[in-house]
Amino acid sequence: MLLPLLAFGFSHVLCAGAEKFSVPNVNAAFHKSPKPFEIHVDRHFIEETRQRVAHARAPVFMDAIGDGPSGEIFTTVRDFWVNEYSWNATEASINQKLEQFTTIVEPVIDNTSYPVPLHFVHHRSPRDDAIPLLFIHGWPGSFLEVSNIISNLTNPPNASVPAFHVVAPSIPGFGFSPAPQHPGFGPVEASYAFNELMRQLGYSKYVIQGGDFGGVILRYQAHLFSKHVVSALSNFWVIQPEENDMRRLAEGSATSDEVAYINTLETYINQASGYRLIQTTEPLTVAFGMTDSPLGNAMWMYSLMAKVIDPAITAWTPEEIITWSMMYYIQGPYGGMRFYREVLNDGGFAALDFGTLPLVQLPVAISQFPYDICYRMPLDWAKRGGNVLKRTVNDYGGHFAAYEVPGLLLNDIWSWFGDKEVSGTRVFVH
Ligand SMILES: *[C@@H]1O[C@H](CO)[C@@H](O)[C@H](O)[C@H]1NC(C)=O
Ligand SMILES: *[C@@H]1O[C@H](CO)[C@@H](O)[C@H](O)[C@H]1NC(C)=O
Ligand SMILES: *[C@@H]1O[C@H](CO)[C@@H](O)[C@H](O)[C@H]1NC(C)=O
Ligand SMILES: *[C@@H]1O[C@H](CO)[C@@H](O)[C@H](O)[C@H]1NC(C)=O
């Protein structure tokens, strides 16, 4: 099902031979083995960005009707950015909290290796029974999504829950992994690159946790690298309803979970997926504006960020909105936006629908949160995408579970990967 697409994607990536990799406005250098990395963004660029925000032009607002972020949030973020936001403090705090590295991995596809420069977080656990865990972010997130769970993953409160060596890469085009310079780098290629990253770090077997694109990439990766990936926990396991499901819905014979899930999915598709349609069809067109306007880019991202969190738990601060947007704006947001088009090319989207993802044979658990689009998808539907053995329906939280409700996701991670027989993590016992 996948292989023809894989060949298509790959042929375009090939000619990458002797390139030197860099990231605009950042000090990142890439070598063929991991080197420690601290973020140092060019201060002229930071000041120029602030100046652009100071001169940002506002739309002529109507009464708020929910077709985009409000005038109030626009003004609040603008004023905070111009008068209070400290990139210095942000950068120092990320560097202090997250140990980062850069490297080049050289996955082999169809007998040919090609170089992929990566930025990643890597924290090793002091526990000698720790399980290697690949954590994959999505859009409009970044490696920062791992910040609030990483210390409890590496240093859990006691020995009755599993510990993890955590690897959280930036998908190329996001954060500080350089955007691909050629078309064809989608979730298939990302899964090759991330599997190679784990191998380079000495983790020949590992588990994966991911949401959003992380939840998409993990399905390719678990399918393609079943000798290396032992098990996965996805908080974004989407199954597109089939014709028969829709017929049962129309006839009134769908279960309450099915009704709730279809409604959530349709609301998302009809009312909140404009960004996705643009990014799968014409990412470059919109990238001109977003590359030129830091505040426009922040509002573009915030529009979705605001819809998929649990308002009873979280309110995005201006500082978070700016910092999350900087993870795209610093190198330029086009690469991250274009990933949508590559997901379409690899089969993960089909126009407005979620496409056909590879069947995962390995043991999988899924976690659902009320403000995410997979909420209440039934377990029997989930099994259409693979060997899903466990479904946890959480009572609160949203799309960025690791960031927003770290305690809930931690419990799901501990309980799933702690079940050595069912999840398969028995293989890590030495
Ligand atoms: C931020 O850091 C740069 C150098 O890293 C320094 O020159 C500058 O004065 C700092 N700015 C503030 C506002 O602290
Ligand atoms: C890869 O190499 C093997 C052994 O040389 C060969 O049999 C195979 O056809 C090659 N595959 C591709 C896709 O070129
Ligand atoms: C260990 O920590 C977990 C997670 O916080 C908790 O649920 C469990 O009760 C603790 N077990 C012991 C023996 O303290
Ligand atoms: C995670 O660790 C922090 C301390 O770093 C602690 O306060 C918090 O309760 C922990 N969360 C869970 C779910 O164990």
Side-chain angles (χ1 to χ4, degrees):
M1 159 179 53
L2 247 187
L3 296 177
L5 294 165
L6 192 154
F8 165 77
F10 178 55
S11 62
H12 295 275
V13 189
L14 263 178
C15 39
E19 280 156 350
K20 268 220 94 260
F21 296 109
S22 61
V23 181
N25 306 310
V26 189
N27 59 319
F30 297 87
H31 304 277
K32 289 190 176 185
S33 60
K35 300 279 182 273
F37 171 77
E38 284 195 344
I39 308 165
H40 293 289
V41 179
D42 177 6
R43 290 304 190 270
H44 294 292
F45 173 79
I46 293 298
E47 177 53 20
E48 185 193 288
T49 299
R50 199 184 69 84
Q51 293 290 339
R52 282 174 193 265
V53 175
H55 294 115
R57 183 167 171 245
V60 177
F61 292 105
M62 296 183 211
D63 297 339
I65 53 168
D67 56 355
S70 67
E72 189 190 343
I73 192 79
F74 176 90
T75 308
T76 305
V77 172
R78 183 195 61 199
D79 293 351
F80 185 85
W81 205 326
V82 174
N83 301 317
E84 292 178 65
Y85 185 66
S86 165
W87 174 257
N88 282 15
T90 300
E91 188 181 86
S93 137
I94 299 171
N95 288 336
Q96 193 258 326
K97 212 189 271 180
L98 298 174
E99 291 170 47
Q100 302 158 76
F101 301 83
T102 56
T103 192
I104 296 173
V105 294
E106 299 184 272
V108 176
I109 307 184
D110 291 351
N111 294 343
T112 311
S113 83
Y114 64 99
V116 181
L118 292 175
H119 160 258
F120 62 99
V121 171
H122 184 200
H123 287 198
R124 281 187 61 84
S125 170
R127 268 196 18 204
D128 61 9
D129 63 344
I131 299 170
L133 180 144
L134 175 68
F135 175 97
I136 315 176
H137 72 84
W139 193 98
S142 68
F143 69 99
L144 295 180
E145 289 176 45
V146 83
S147 319
N148 296 344
I149 51 167
I150 196 164
S151 65
N152 278 318
L153 289 173
T154 52
N155 290 287
N158 62 58
S160 70
V161 290
F164 300 89
H165 303 304
V166 180
V167 179
S170 296
I171 301 170
F174 299 70
F176 303 103
S177 288
Q181 297 178 14
H182 310 280
F185 194 97
V188 172
E189 291 73 17
S191 70
Y192 271 86
F194 293 163
N195 184 64
E196 198 54 26
L197 175 63
M198 295 306 274
R199 199 202 55 80
Q200 191 183 74
L201 296 171
Y203 303 133
S204 68
K205 287 193 185 294
Y206 56 92
V207 300
I208 313 183
Q209 203 289 305
D212 197 88
F213 281 144
V216 172
I217 293 169
L218 75 74
R219 287 163 76 166
Y220 288 94
Q221 196 160 335
H223 171 76
L224 289 165
F225 301 100
S226 54
K227 288 200 184 72
H228 303 287
V229 183
V230 170
S231 172
L233 188 154
S234 172
N235 59 308
F236 193 76
W237 188 272
V238 184
I239 298 290
Q240 188 66 37
E242 295 166 359
E243 260 177 50
N244 188 41
D245 303 327
M246 299 310 283
R247 187 162 47 240
R248 287 194 305 107
L249 181 77
E251 288 165 3
S253 60
T255 67
S256 63
D257 267 1
E258 290 168 348
V259 172
Y261 172 58
I262 291 174
N263 285 339
T264 304
L265 194 60
E266 296 214 317
T267 304
Y268 162 77
I269 286 176
N270 296 326
Q271 291 171 32
S273 66
Y275 74 94
R276 188 184 120 180
L277 191 56
I278 291 176
Q279 293 178 178
T280 51
T281 54
E282 297 186 277
L284 181 58
T285 301
V286 75
F288 288 107
M290 302 309 159
T291 308
D292 202 47
S293 169
L295 191 52
N297 179 61
M299 292 297 105
W300 180 255
M301 292 172 54
Y302 173 74
S303 181
L304 184 65
M305 286 162 69
K307 287 178 194 132
V308 295
I309 52 152
D310 185 340
I313 310 266
T314 315
W316 293 106
T317 64
E319 183 167 17
E320 286 173 307
I321 296 168
I322 298 166
T323 299
W324 277 45
S325 76
M326 288 295 271
M327 297 302 120
Y328 292 74
Y329 189 74
I330 290 167
Q331 70 162 305
Y334 175 49
M337 291 173 158
R338 190 186 156 96
F339 198 73
Y340 279 83
R341 196 178 165 102
E342 303 295 353
V343 172
L344 184 82
N345 289 339
D346 280 356
F349 294 141
L352 287 176
D353 286 358
F354 286 85
T356 307
L357 292 163
L359 197 71
V360 177
Q361 310 283 2
L362 302 167
V364 174
I366 60 175
S367 284
Q368 301 177 345
F369 298 87
Y371 285 82
D372 205 356
I373 66 173
C374 330
Y375 184 55
R376 293 186 64 185
M377 185 184 61
L379 183 60
D380 55 328
W381 291 18
K383 286 176 191 286
R384 294 172 188 168
N387 186 21
V388 181
L389 298 175
K390 183 176 184 187
R391 166 196 187 232
T392 304
V393 183
N394 288 288
D395 295 335
Y396 54 95
H399 185 67
F400 304 106
Y403 191 80
E404 189 188 10
V405 285
L408 291 185
L409 189 66
L410 272 171
N411 282 337
D412 291 352
I413 291 173
W414 282 331
S415 126
W416 171 243
F417 295 120
D419 187 341
K420 297 188 176 76
E421 304 311 327
V422 178
S423 74
T425 53
R426 172 70 67 206
V427 299
F428 294 103
V429 175
H430 359 246

